[in-house]
Amino acid sequence: MSRQLTLRFAVLTAVATGAMLVPVGAAVADDPTPTPTATTGEDKTAAEKKAEDAKKAKELEARKAAAAKDLPKGGVAAGEAPAEDTGTSTSTLVGSATGALLLAGAGTIVLRRRAAGRHNG
């Protein structure tokens, strides 16, 4: 394999890998669950921690119950999932553009090889 073909192969491989990793990175970055990053530095027993967790869980349930009163009776209350994303996010657009560029690049390589084969043959 010539040096030029090796370089092309490396560039195309890097672009294809990047095209696959960009949507994955966006999916991981949009994780809605927060992760605890700092500790309070206090030593608590397991019983105290369980009591606090139970209290927080009850508060969360109370908030959910209060929020459920404001929901409409149709649609979501009937079991349908609310529409969250319309598909116009930046990740979708970047992924589509990258896919189009990869397809155009592959088509260009195929056409150049066919044209070169006709000239040599």
Side-chain angles (χ1 to χ4, degrees):
M1 196 182 267
S2 71
R3 185 175 184 170
Q4 188 177 19
L5 288 176
T6 304
L7 181 61
R8 282 184 187 170
F9 180 72
V11 169
L12 288 175
T13 303
V15 169
T17 304
M20 289 184 208
L21 291 178
V22 166
V24 171
V28 172
D30 291 340
D31 188 18
T33 57
T35 56
T37 57
T39 59
T40 58
E42 299 175 3
D43 292 330
K44 295 184 179 181
T45 63
E48 290 176 348
K49 288 181 182 180
K50 286 182 183 179
E52 286 182 13
D53 290 341
K55 185 178 177 182
K56 288 179 184 179
K58 286 182 182 179
E59 289 176 4
L60 182 61
E61 288 177 14
R63 286 186 205 158
K64 285 183 181 180
K69 291 178 184 177
D70 297 334
L71 291 177
K73 296 298 179 189
V76 176
E80 296 178 11
E84 294 177 4
D85 189 19
T86 59
T88 58
S89 66
T90 305
S91 301
T92 305
L93 296 175
V94 169
S96 298
T98 305
L101 287 174
L102 286 172
L103 185 61
T108 302
I109 290 172
V110 169
L111 290 176
R112 291 181 80 191
R113 286 189 179 181
R114 285 186 180 177
R118 288 183 186 150
H119 290 292
N120 294 334

